[in-house]
Short mmCIF file of all heavy atoms in Angstrom, two decimals:
data_model
loop_
_atom_site.label_atom_id
_atom_site.label_comp_id
_atom_site.label_asym_id
_atom_site.label_seq_id
_atom_site.Cartn_x
_atom_site.Cartn_y
_atom_site.Cartn_z
N GLY B 561 70.04 49.82 -62.94
CA GLY B 561 70.32 49.38 -61.55
C GLY B 561 69.19 49.82 -60.63
O GLY B 561 68.61 49.05 -59.87
N ASP B 562 68.81 51.11 -60.80
CA ASP B 562 67.74 51.61 -59.89
C ASP B 562 66.44 50.88 -60.15
O ASP B 562 65.76 50.45 -59.22
CB ASP B 562 67.54 53.12 -60.17
CG ASP B 562 68.61 53.91 -59.39
OD1 ASP B 562 69.29 53.23 -58.57
OD2 ASP B 562 68.77 55.10 -59.60
N ALA B 563 66.14 50.70 -61.45
CA ALA B 563 64.86 50.03 -61.76
C ALA B 563 64.87 48.65 -61.11
O ALA B 563 63.89 48.21 -60.50
CB ALA B 563 64.72 49.92 -63.28
N LEU B 564 66.05 47.97 -61.16
CA LEU B 564 66.13 46.63 -60.58
C LEU B 564 65.86 46.70 -59.07
O LEU B 564 65.00 46.00 -58.52
CB LEU B 564 67.54 46.09 -60.83
CG LEU B 564 67.65 44.55 -60.95
CD1 LEU B 564 66.92 44.09 -62.20
CD2 LEU B 564 69.12 44.14 -60.99
N ASN B 565 66.55 47.64 -58.41
CA ASN B 565 66.35 47.76 -56.95
C ASN B 565 64.88 47.99 -56.64
O ASN B 565 64.29 47.35 -55.77
CB ASN B 565 67.16 48.94 -56.41
CG ASN B 565 68.63 48.55 -56.32
OD1 ASN B 565 68.95 47.38 -56.52
ND2 ASN B 565 69.49 49.52 -56.06
N GLU B 566 64.33 48.93 -57.44
CA GLU B 566 62.92 49.28 -57.21
C GLU B 566 62.05 48.02 -57.29
O GLU B 566 61.30 47.69 -56.37
CB GLU B 566 62.48 50.26 -58.33
CG GLU B 566 61.32 51.14 -57.94
CD GLU B 566 61.78 52.60 -57.79
OE1 GLU B 566 62.88 52.81 -57.21
OE2 GLU B 566 61.09 53.48 -58.27
N ALA B 567 62.23 47.27 -58.40
CA ALA B 567 61.34 46.13 -58.64
C ALA B 567 61.59 45.06 -57.58
O ALA B 567 60.66 44.52 -56.99
CB ALA B 567 61.58 45.57 -60.04
N LEU B 568 62.88 44.77 -57.32
CA LEU B 568 63.14 43.62 -56.43
C LEU B 568 62.92 43.97 -54.97
O LEU B 568 62.44 43.15 -54.19
CB LEU B 568 64.60 43.15 -56.62
CG LEU B 568 64.87 42.42 -57.97
CD1 LEU B 568 66.30 41.90 -58.00
CD2 LEU B 568 63.88 41.29 -58.14
N LEU B 569 63.30 45.18 -54.57
CA LEU B 569 63.28 45.45 -53.12
C LEU B 569 62.18 46.45 -52.74
O LEU B 569 61.37 46.20 -51.87
CB LEU B 569 64.65 46.00 -52.69
CG LEU B 569 65.82 45.05 -52.95
CD1 LEU B 569 67.13 45.77 -52.74
CD2 LEU B 569 65.68 43.85 -52.04
N MET B 570 62.17 47.59 -53.41
CA MET B 570 61.29 48.68 -52.97
C MET B 570 59.83 48.26 -53.06
O MET B 570 59.12 48.29 -52.04
CB MET B 570 61.52 49.90 -53.87
CG MET B 570 62.48 50.90 -53.28
SD MET B 570 61.49 52.18 -52.50
CE MET B 570 60.87 53.01 -54.00
N ARG B 571 59.40 47.84 -54.24
CA ARG B 571 57.96 47.52 -54.43
C ARG B 571 57.53 46.44 -53.42
O ARG B 571 56.65 46.69 -52.59
CB ARG B 571 57.76 47.04 -55.88
CG ARG B 571 56.42 47.34 -56.51
CD ARG B 571 55.95 48.79 -56.50
NE ARG B 571 56.34 49.60 -57.64
CZ ARG B 571 57.29 50.56 -57.57
NH1 ARG B 571 57.95 50.72 -56.45
NH2 ARG B 571 57.57 51.30 -58.60
N PRO B 572 58.22 45.24 -53.40
CA PRO B 572 57.78 44.23 -52.43
C PRO B 572 57.86 44.75 -51.00
O PRO B 572 57.02 44.45 -50.16
CB PRO B 572 58.75 43.07 -52.66
CG PRO B 572 59.44 43.34 -53.93
CD PRO B 572 59.32 44.79 -54.22
N GLY B 573 58.85 45.60 -50.73
CA GLY B 573 59.00 46.10 -49.36
C GLY B 573 57.76 46.88 -48.96
O GLY B 573 57.14 46.62 -47.91
N GLN B 574 57.36 47.82 -49.86
CA GLN B 574 56.17 48.63 -49.50
C GLN B 574 54.96 47.71 -49.35
O GLN B 574 54.19 47.82 -48.40
CB GLN B 574 55.90 49.65 -50.61
CG GLN B 574 56.84 50.83 -50.53
CD GLN B 574 56.85 51.63 -51.83
OE1 GLN B 574 56.38 51.13 -52.86
NE2 GLN B 574 57.37 52.83 -51.78
N TRP B 575 54.85 46.77 -50.28
CA TRP B 575 53.70 45.85 -50.26
C TRP B 575 53.71 45.07 -48.94
O TRP B 575 52.71 44.99 -48.22
CB TRP B 575 53.85 44.92 -51.49
CG TRP B 575 52.85 43.85 -51.62
CD1 TRP B 575 51.54 43.98 -51.91
CD2 TRP B 575 53.11 42.45 -51.41
NE1 TRP B 575 50.94 42.74 -51.91
CE2 TRP B 575 51.87 41.80 -51.62
CE3 TRP B 575 54.25 41.70 -51.09
CZ2 TRP B 575 51.75 40.42 -51.50
CZ3 TRP B 575 54.11 40.33 -50.96
CH2 TRP B 575 52.88 39.70 -51.18
N LEU B 576 54.90 44.61 -48.55
CA LEU B 576 55.02 43.84 -47.30
C LEU B 576 54.64 44.72 -46.10
O LEU B 576 53.90 44.31 -45.20
CB LEU B 576 56.48 43.36 -47.15
CG LEU B 576 56.75 42.40 -45.99
CD1 LEU B 576 56.07 41.07 -46.25
CD2 LEU B 576 58.26 42.18 -45.82
N THR B 577 55.11 45.97 -46.14
CA THR B 577 54.80 46.87 -45.00
C THR B 577 53.30 47.05 -44.89
O THR B 577 52.74 46.93 -43.80
CB THR B 577 55.46 48.24 -45.28
OG1 THR B 577 56.71 48.01 -45.90
CG2 THR B 577 55.63 49.01 -44.00
N ARG B 578 52.66 47.29 -46.06
CA ARG B 578 51.20 47.54 -45.98
C ARG B 578 50.51 46.31 -45.40
O ARG B 578 49.67 46.40 -44.51
CB ARG B 578 50.66 47.85 -47.39
CG ARG B 578 49.79 49.10 -47.40
CD ARG B 578 49.51 49.62 -48.80
NE ARG B 578 50.68 50.24 -49.41
CZ ARG B 578 51.25 49.78 -50.53
NH1 ARG B 578 50.78 48.67 -51.10
NH2 ARG B 578 52.29 50.39 -51.06
N ILE B 579 50.96 45.13 -45.84
CA ILE B 579 50.31 43.90 -45.33
C ILE B 579 50.58 43.78 -43.83
O ILE B 579 49.68 43.50 -43.03
CB ILE B 579 50.86 42.67 -46.08
CG1 ILE B 579 50.26 42.62 -47.49
CG2 ILE B 579 50.52 41.39 -45.33
CD1 ILE B 579 50.56 41.33 -48.22
N ALA B 580 51.81 44.06 -43.43
CA ALA B 580 52.13 43.89 -41.99
C ALA B 580 51.27 44.83 -41.16
O ALA B 580 50.68 44.42 -40.15
CB ALA B 580 53.61 44.20 -41.77
N VAL B 581 51.15 46.07 -41.62
CA VAL B 581 50.34 47.03 -40.84
C VAL B 581 48.90 46.55 -40.80
O VAL B 581 48.25 46.51 -39.73
CB VAL B 581 50.43 48.44 -41.48
CG1 VAL B 581 49.38 49.35 -40.86
CG2 VAL B 581 51.83 49.01 -41.31
N PHE B 582 48.39 46.11 -41.97
CA PHE B 582 47.01 45.63 -42.02
C PHE B 582 46.85 44.46 -41.06
O PHE B 582 45.97 44.42 -40.21
CB PHE B 582 46.67 45.20 -43.45
CG PHE B 582 45.29 44.61 -43.59
CD1 PHE B 582 44.17 45.45 -43.66
CD2 PHE B 582 45.09 43.24 -43.57
CE1 PHE B 582 42.89 44.92 -43.74
CE2 PHE B 582 43.81 42.71 -43.65
CZ PHE B 582 42.72 43.55 -43.74
N PHE B 583 47.83 43.51 -41.15
CA PHE B 583 47.74 42.32 -40.30
C PHE B 583 47.75 42.73 -38.83
O PHE B 583 46.99 42.24 -38.00
CB PHE B 583 48.91 41.38 -40.60
CG PHE B 583 49.01 40.23 -39.63
CD1 PHE B 583 48.07 39.22 -39.64
CD2 PHE B 583 50.02 40.20 -38.67
CE1 PHE B 583 48.13 38.17 -38.73
CE2 PHE B 583 50.10 39.16 -37.76
CZ PHE B 583 49.16 38.15 -37.79
N ASP B 584 48.60 43.72 -38.53
CA ASP B 584 48.72 44.10 -37.11
C ASP B 584 47.41 44.72 -36.64
O ASP B 584 46.89 44.36 -35.58
CB ASP B 584 49.86 45.10 -36.95
CG ASP B 584 50.18 45.28 -35.46
OD1 ASP B 584 50.69 44.32 -34.87
OD2 ASP B 584 49.82 46.32 -34.91
N ASN B 585 46.85 45.62 -37.47
CA ASN B 585 45.60 46.27 -37.00
C ASN B 585 44.47 45.26 -36.99
O ASN B 585 43.75 45.14 -36.01
CB ASN B 585 45.25 47.43 -37.94
CG ASN B 585 46.27 48.54 -37.75
OD1 ASN B 585 47.02 48.52 -36.79
ND2 ASN B 585 46.32 49.47 -38.70
N ARG B 586 44.31 44.53 -38.08
CA ARG B 586 43.14 43.63 -38.15
C ARG B 586 43.46 42.33 -37.41
O ARG B 586 42.67 41.85 -36.62
CB ARG B 586 42.81 43.30 -39.62
CG ARG B 586 42.32 44.49 -40.41
CD ARG B 586 40.93 44.93 -39.93
NE ARG B 586 40.50 46.13 -40.65
CZ ARG B 586 41.00 47.35 -40.38
NH1 ARG B 586 41.88 47.51 -39.41
NH2 ARG B 586 40.59 48.39 -41.07
N GLY B 587 44.62 41.75 -37.68
CA GLY B 587 44.91 40.42 -37.15
C GLY B 587 45.04 40.44 -35.65
O GLY B 587 44.11 40.20 -34.89
N VAL B 588 46.21 40.81 -35.20
CA VAL B 588 46.49 40.65 -33.76
C VAL B 588 45.53 41.52 -32.96
O VAL B 588 44.87 41.08 -32.02
CB VAL B 588 47.97 41.05 -33.48
CG1 VAL B 588 48.29 40.86 -32.02
CG2 VAL B 588 48.89 40.22 -34.35
N ASP B 589 45.40 42.79 -33.40
CA ASP B 589 44.51 43.68 -32.64
C ASP B 589 43.08 43.23 -32.79
O ASP B 589 42.31 43.23 -31.82
CB ASP B 589 44.67 45.12 -33.20
CG ASP B 589 44.91 46.08 -32.02
OD1 ASP B 589 44.95 45.58 -30.89
OD2 ASP B 589 45.03 47.28 -32.25
N GLY B 590 42.77 42.78 -34.00
CA GLY B 590 41.41 42.31 -34.23
C GLY B 590 41.09 41.18 -33.27
O GLY B 590 40.02 41.16 -32.64
#
Side-chain angles (χ1 to χ4, degrees):
Chain B
D562 278 351
L564 209 67
N565 283 353
E566 204 111 318
L568 288 185
L569 299 170
M570 263 263 287
R571 210 54 90 253
Q574 282 164 344
W575 176 70
L576 187 68
T577 323
R578 229 166 287 118
I579 285 189
V581 168
F582 177 80
F583 171 70
D584 192 69
N585 290 347
R586 294 291 177 284
V588 182
D589 230 1

